[in-house]
Amino acid sequence: MKAFVDKYEDRIHGVLSCFDRMLFRGYLPIMSGWSMAQLLQAHDIDCASVKPFLLSNAERVKAHAQAMCSERGRPFEYLSAKMRKEDAARKLAERDGIEEGLVCVFSALEPCRTFSLRFTTGQPYVQTAKRKCLHLYYYFMDRDLGLLHVRVQTWFPLQVQIYVNGHEWLERKLTARGIEYAKIDNVFIRVGDLARAQRLSDRFAHLSWPRILNRYARQVVPQLDDVLGGCEYYWVAAQAEYSTDVMFNTADGLRELYPRLLSHSTLCFGATEVMNFLGRKLVANFQGEVVSDLSSLVCRRVGGSRIKHRVKQNWLKMYDKAGLVLRIETVINNPEEFRVRKQVLRDGKQRTEWVALRKGVAYLFRYREISLQANARYLDALAAVDDPTAGKQALQRLTTTKKDAAGRSCPGFNPMAQHDATLFKSLMAGEHCLHGFTNRDIRSQLSGTRWLRACADDPKKASAKVGRCFRRLHAHGLIAKIPRTRRWRVTDYGRKVMGTTMYLREHHFPNVYAGIMH
């Protein structure tokens, strides 16, 4: 991402890459109908007792949650309608000053994967089925991870989902080490020591995730102590978001640039470019879709828009956060689209090969590598976008009223008006380049035009009018006096602005207008 950062280094505070939303799922070794049948057989559960066994265990999971809430004085609430559970839990934690431990438990009826008993030619067998059952959402405030939730399915196979946020984890690490930072919502807008913060962020992928996640699973699944004794969850990364945040010094620095970045991404990044960002090639036998869409999210984000490039189940997104941060984010839902280099057994021999990446939490280091490279490629591609801020500021300066040295108001210029275009053309004439121009030179060039038509017969009035025009041009910085002479010259700023406005009026505007009319 060096090309992008170098181009806009004068307005960028720094860059920080970090895991964001992480969804971990835990699976017990009873996910298939055959393995569940083995469990039932091990506990001597016959066909008539299967349903009571499953229902009693589901009730046990719910009763365990209610007892935990009662013991710790925390609310247990059933949700009959959709709501932002995380926001509600965070408000409860802030209201009650909870810095560690259980915040609340929400319950809701949701679809799940469970089991049913089937009969074929009189022989019963256990088969997986889709049903609806009660799901419990435990919200904990963790000392290291911040606010997280543990979602447990009350019916077998007791699937568990745990949500954590990498930015909350990093915030606690920065606080513990005394590193100053400023954070709005879920984004850092300032960090005192960016290099050290990045090194801390890189550790997230190497945490002992099975130990951390199993600790919470044991708190919400009482069957792990008896019915499922000896079983442990196998943990996978169901969804991993990795963001690269470009922190701007001011909101103005991003506000003018961001629409250009969105436009460039929408118009210039096709399927080939998006695949390349993700480290892949668009080949003839590719099966799937590459979709880019621009969405408006006025109610949720300053700036109101984001672009998402979707390749099958994986995404690459760009949006602004808090009006100060440009976020590029890679979301991996299906890691098998990528590769990891590991040792495999081939023909009885150990070999190191590139193989399909799996979801296991042991591969989070590879998730980070892939996402960071994708974000960096995307930012480098955006380096081709020119910043419009200087041009817009120059236009604003030209068209607004200024004060001269004596404090008198000098109106702005209209770059599209024939009146001002004629004046600019006379000032930019080639014969004035070497020695500048005088009042008489400009009067002679403007004679017969609308500028001096009213005072064509009175040289004094014409000279006074051109003199007032010089005062106005000087106040706007378009011309400057040549010392110890009565001559003036066009400034570098004036040459850029007047040359641009003349080109805009004579060439660009007619071409664009003709295109719109067609």
Side-chain angles (χ1 to χ4, degrees):
M1 62 193 80
K2 187 176 184 299
F4 184 88
V5 175
D6 288 349
K7 185 167 185 176
Y8 301 107
E9 62 180 349
D10 59 326
R11 69 188 62 191
I12 291 176
H13 166 67
V15 180
L16 180 64
S17 297
C18 182
F19 277 101
D20 192 38
R21 282 175 50 91
M22 298 292 297
L23 282 179
F24 298 104
R25 286 199 184 127
Y27 299 98
L28 288 168
I30 54 171
M31 295 302 296
S32 67
W34 181 86
S35 57
M36 186 63 192
Q38 293 291 104
L39 177 69
L40 295 174
Q41 185 177 2
H43 290 279
D44 296 325
I45 306 296
D46 57 21
C47 296
S49 306
V50 168
K51 185 174 181 180
F53 173 80
L54 297 177
L55 292 177
S56 63
N57 274 278
E59 185 60 33
R60 182 184 174 188
V61 175
K62 178 182 176 182
H64 174 78
Q66 291 173 328
M68 184 184 293
C69 289
S70 178
E71 178 185 343
R72 304 182 189 184
R74 303 310 305 159
F76 180 99
E77 182 181 351
Y78 174 76
L79 303 179
S80 58
K82 287 185 178 181
M83 63 174 287
R84 292 185 64 84
K85 294 182 280 292
E86 182 181 347
D87 292 345
R90 196 176 294 278
K91 288 180 181 178
L92 282 172
E94 291 175 356
R95 185 195 70 185
D96 299 337
I98 298 176
E99 297 182 355
E100 188 173 356
L102 181 66
V103 176
C104 62
V105 178
F106 296 128
S107 63
L109 197 63
E110 296 177 354
C112 72
R113 177 185 174 184
T114 185
F115 303 102
S116 63
L117 203 60
R118 292 286 185 266
F119 292 86
T120 302
T121 64
Q123 295 296 322
Y125 67 96
V126 178
Q127 177 179 302
T128 58
K130 291 185 178 180
R131 297 283 190 273
K132 278 191 175 183
C133 79
L134 194 70
H135 287 71
L136 304 177
Y137 286 81
Y138 289 77
Y139 280 87
F140 294 95
M141 189 65 72
D142 188 274
R143 180 178 56 188
D144 296 321
L145 297 170
L147 184 67
L148 60 85
H149 83 241
V150 183
R151 173 181 179 265
V152 58
Q153 172 182 314
T154 56
W155 285 9
F156 277 97
L158 300 173
Q159 182 177 310
V160 172
Q161 174 180 287
I162 299 181
Y163 161 84
V164 300
N165 191 293
H167 284 92
E168 290 210 22
W169 175 85
L170 181 58
E171 179 182 6
R172 280 159 174 74
K173 292 301 178 184
L174 296 178
T175 301
R177 286 158 177 76
I179 301 175
E180 295 183 356
Y181 65 88
K183 188 168 178 276
I184 298 178
D185 189 24
N186 188 36
V187 61
F188 293 97
I189 59 174
R190 289 288 182 278
V191 178
D193 190 342
L194 274 168
R196 194 176 175 193
Q198 188 60 64
R199 289 195 296 271
L200 288 170
S201 174
D202 294 343
R203 297 180 188 175
F204 185 85
H206 302 282
L207 298 178
S208 180
W209 285 110
R211 179 182 58 81
I212 296 170
L213 301 173
N214 277 324
R215 174 163 56 90
Y216 280 102
R218 289 198 166 275
Q219 292 188 55
V220 302
V221 182
Q223 286 86 347
L224 290 173
D225 295 328
D226 42 51
V227 176
L228 297 171
C231 292
E232 284 195 0
Y233 279 94
Y234 174 73
W235 296 99
V236 303
Q239 184 180 84
E241 297 182 353
Y242 191 86
S243 65
T244 296
D245 292 345
V246 183
M247 295 172 274
F248 282 73
N249 293 320
T250 64
D252 291 339
L254 179 59
R255 185 183 301 114
E256 299 291 346
L257 179 61
Y258 185 61
R260 289 285 187 95
L261 298 177
L262 281 176
S263 177
H264 184 80
S265 298
T266 305
L267 298 175
C268 301
F269 295 163
T272 301
E273 288 77 17
V274 173
M275 293 287 283
N276 290 340
F277 295 148
L278 295 173
R280 302 183 58 196
K281 291 183 179 180
L282 187 62
V283 294
N285 61 352
F286 174 75
Q287 299 292 324
E289 290 184 331
V290 180
V291 179
S292 297
D293 67 86
L294 181 66
S295 298
S296 296
L297 300 169
V298 177
C299 61
R300 295 182 59 188
R301 296 192 181 103
V302 177
S305 298
R306 71 103 178 95
I307 187 167
K308 178 195 286 187
H309 309 282
R310 179 170 55 84
V311 181
K312 295 185 179 180
Q313 295 172 289
N314 302 314
W315 312 321
L316 188 58
K317 300 189 290 185
M318 179 181 71
Y319 52 95
D320 66 330
K321 296 281 287 185
L324 286 164
V325 175
L326 176 69
R327 173 167 288 183
I328 310 297
E329 188 172 75
T330 299
V331 183
I332 298 179
N333 295 295
N334 181 15
E336 292 188 3
E337 297 293 322
F338 305 101
R339 297 288 180 265
V340 62
R341 192 166 175 81
K342 60 174 291 188
Q343 284 193 344
V344 294
L345 189 64
R346 295 282 189 268
D347 300 326
K349 295 181 180 180
Q350 290 284 349
R351 297 181 182 177
T352 302
E353 296 181 1
W354 287 100
V355 297
L357 179 62
R358 300 299 183 184
K359 287 190 173 186
V361 293
Y363 297 109
L364 281 183
F365 75 94
R366 182 58 179 158
Y367 276 64
R368 176 188 167 274
E369 291 174 355
I370 293 169
S371 300
L372 181 60
Q373 290 168 3
N375 295 347
R377 293 187 193 105
Y378 198 91
L379 275 173
D380 277 342
L382 291 176
V385 178
D386 292 325
D387 182 19
T389 304
K392 288 187 176 182
Q393 289 176 348
L395 182 62
Q396 180 72 10
R397 177 180 170 182
L398 177 70
T399 56
T400 55
T401 302
K402 302 293 182 185
K403 298 283 187 180
D404 65 7
R408 293 170 293 186
S409 294
C410 297
F413 294 91
N414 181 358
M416 301 303 296
Q418 178 67 45
H419 188 66
D420 290 342
T422 302
L423 174 63
F424 291 166
K425 188 175 181 180
S426 68
L427 296 172
M428 295 286 287
E431 59 264 31
H432 305 322
C433 291
L434 290 178
H435 304 293
F437 51 85
T438 62
N439 187 304
R440 178 181 294 178
D441 294 333
I442 301 304
R443 268 186 289 150
S444 65
Q445 288 192 316
L446 294 178
S447 61
T449 66
R450 179 185 170 190
W451 264 98
L452 299 178
R453 189 173 299 160
C455 50
D457 299 330
D458 191 338
K460 288 186 178 181
K461 284 187 178 181
S463 177
K465 185 170 184 178
V466 172
R468 291 192 297 272
C469 179
F470 281 5
R471 178 173 61 85
R472 182 183 171 199
L473 290 163
H474 185 246
H476 281 269
L478 300 178
I479 63 173
K481 188 76 178 295
I482 298 176
R484 297 181 296 278
T485 70
R486 294 185 178 182
R487 291 184 169 275
W488 296 80
R489 63 175 179 83
V490 177
T491 62
D492 291 339
Y493 164 74
R495 196 169 301 281
K496 290 179 182 178
V497 170
M498 290 190 289
T500 303
T501 57
M502 290 167 60
Y503 181 83
L504 173 67
R505 190 178 188 280
E506 298 297 329
H507 300 282
H508 194 64
F509 181 82
N511 292 337
V512 174
Y513 182 80
I516 293 175
M517 291 300 292
H518 287 305

